[in-house]
């Protein structure tokens, strides 16, 4: 059976399934987080660029859970890259979340046009780790060439690389690189929500293969996709603000996909990315100021 937790490469235990809050408006974030924690989630993923860290912190406090029962993950945005700027970005995020220590801190994107600043930002994460301000560090949306560059220039292997992974876009070559280095693949848009909006030709939720497997287990297509991630050893952070969907997305620990079902899902890969090309992320296009705490 897939485990509920994943042991990171520095020994820290991370709940495999978390609640994501990308594009969740601040005014509904607190309730969504509190509800997720009520139904059993113990991992919340946010980011400075989402503009809802303060509300995530409020949701955690509202849950009444002890601090060490909730795994809190956030990300530094590209405008705060650079050694001192990234150290200060931690203070901003921690201040908004109302926490002294974060469980996992990621660089949100590589900055290919200013990779030296990306490296300095990562060195700041290493310092925060050494000082006990964070329990684990990692990256997000780093393709193999960026990971390779990072590994050559820094001393701590990222614990996690959070990337777009769903049945229609699986990034298997990148995941192999992760496996070689003991980096956990953490899936954003894990149930292919990104295929449901924009100009996507077809949505994972309507996929005949996924619906057929779902029917065989008395589950939804979304639950099948989340189970697939867990059985393949990935972390997944589905997002929702609806209490019924939040609960449904967590109800994935009581069934098991067969090897044939996993293979059928693996065969759905189209190689088409839904999110922005990491190489196209520049300060000119994506620079936003992250407010003080």
């Amino acid at each position: 059976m897939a485990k509920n937790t994943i042991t990171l490469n520095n020994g820290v235990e991370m709940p495999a399934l978390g609640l994501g809050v990308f594009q969740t408006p601040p005014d509904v974030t607190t309730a969504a987080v509190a509800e997720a924690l009520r139904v059993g989630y113990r991992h919340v993923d946010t980011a400075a660029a989402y503009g809802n860290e303060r509300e995530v912190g409020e949701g955690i406090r509202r849950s009444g859970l002890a601090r060490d029962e909730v795994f809190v993950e956030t990300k530094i945005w590209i405008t705060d890259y650079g050694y001192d700027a990234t150290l200060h970005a931690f203070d901003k995020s921690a201040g908004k979340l109302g926490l002294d220590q974060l469980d996992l801190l990621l660089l949100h994107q590589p900055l290919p046009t200013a990779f030296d600043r990306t490296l300095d930002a990562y060195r700041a994460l290493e310092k925060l780790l050494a000082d006990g301000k964070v329990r684990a560090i990692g990256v997000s949306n780093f393709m193999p060439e960026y990971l390779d560059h990072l590994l050559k220039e820094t001393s701590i292997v990222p614990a996690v690389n959070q990337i777009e992974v769903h049945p229609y876009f699986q990034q298997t070559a990148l995941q192999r690189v992760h496996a070689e280095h003991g980096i956990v693949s953490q899936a954003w848009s894990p149930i292919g929500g990104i295929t449901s909006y924009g100009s996507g030709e077809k949505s994972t939720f309507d996929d005949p293969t996924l619906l057929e497997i779902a029917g065989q287990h008395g589950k939804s297509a979304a639950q099948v996709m989340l189970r697939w991630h867990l059985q393949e050893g990935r972390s997944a952070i589905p997002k929702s603000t609806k209490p019924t969907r939040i609960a449904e997305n967590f109800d994935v620990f009581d069934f098991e996909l067969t090897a044939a079902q996993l293979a059928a899902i693996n065969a759905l890969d189209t190689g088409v990315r839904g999110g922005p090309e990491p190489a196209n992320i520049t300060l000119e296009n994506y620079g936003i100021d992250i407010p003080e705490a």
Side-chain angles (χ1 to χ4, degrees), residues 67-292:
R67 169 64 190 99
D68 63 4
E69 289 185 70
V70 185
F71 190 97
V72 183
E73 168 178 7
T74 192
K75 311 178 202 74
I76 307 285
W77 190 240
I78 55 174
T79 35
D80 284 338
Y81 284 6
Y83 189 79
D84 291 334
T86 299
L87 291 177
H88 182 60
F90 164 83
D91 292 334
K92 291 197 282 190
S93 286
K96 288 170 194 162
L97 287 159
L99 301 173
D100 299 323
Q101 184 191 56
L102 303 178
D103 296 292
L104 178 60
L105 186 58
L106 308 181
L107 297 184
H108 203 143
Q109 299 276 354
L111 199 48
T113 54
F115 206 74
D116 284 350
R117 283 179 61 180
T118 310
L119 292 172
D120 281 340
Y122 192 78
R123 291 181 186 114
L125 298 194
E126 293 180 324
K127 166 80 169 135
L128 291 163
L129 183 69
D131 290 348
K133 301 276 187 73
V134 298
R135 296 174 64 227
I137 60 174
V139 294
S140 179
N141 301 305
F142 271 57
M143 297 302 103
E145 62 273 24
Y146 306 134
L147 267 182
D148 189 49
H149 193 164
L150 182 82
L151 290 166
K152 285 192 174 91
E153 301 279 345
T154 58
S155 52
I156 294 172
V157 176
V160 166
N161 188 11
Q162 186 187 113
I163 56 173
E164 180 185 345
V165 184
H166 46 78
Y168 289 175
F169 188 61
Q170 298 182 23
Q171 305 213 66
T172 48
L174 177 54
Q175 290 198 61
R176 277 198 295 275
V177 174
H178 293 170
E180 283 165 25
H181 293 285
I183 299 168
V184 170
S185 299
Q186 185 176 63
W188 65 257
S189 199
I191 53 180
I194 201 158
T195 63
S196 303
Y197 42 79
S199 57
E201 297 297 302
K202 55 178 192 168
S203 160
T204 50
F205 300 109
D206 306 321
D207 186 273
T209 300
L210 294 172
L211 289 172
E212 184 185 345
I213 294 170
Q216 290 163 0
H217 291 282
K219 292 286 184 179
S220 68
Q223 288 170 318
V224 165
M225 288 185 265
L226 290 169
R227 185 71 206 173
W228 167 69
H229 287 294
L230 296 175
Q231 284 185 222
E232 299 273 297
R234 286 186 292 276
S235 168
I237 43 170
K239 61 173 193 185
S240 183
T241 58
K242 302 183 181 74
T244 51
R245 191 64 53 73
I246 287 170
E248 178 191 308
N249 287 346
F250 197 71
D251 185 18
V252 293
F253 295 101
D254 60 349
F255 73 108
E256 184 140 17
L257 301 172
T258 65
Q261 288 169 338
L262 293 171
I265 300 170
N266 288 337
L268 298 174
D269 193 4
T270 66
V272 178
R273 184 186 295 280
E277 272 297 335
N280 296 342
I281 302 290
T282 63
L283 285 168
E284 292 71 38
N285 297 342
Y286 289 92
I288 52 169
D289 279 328
I290 304 299
E292 295 296 322

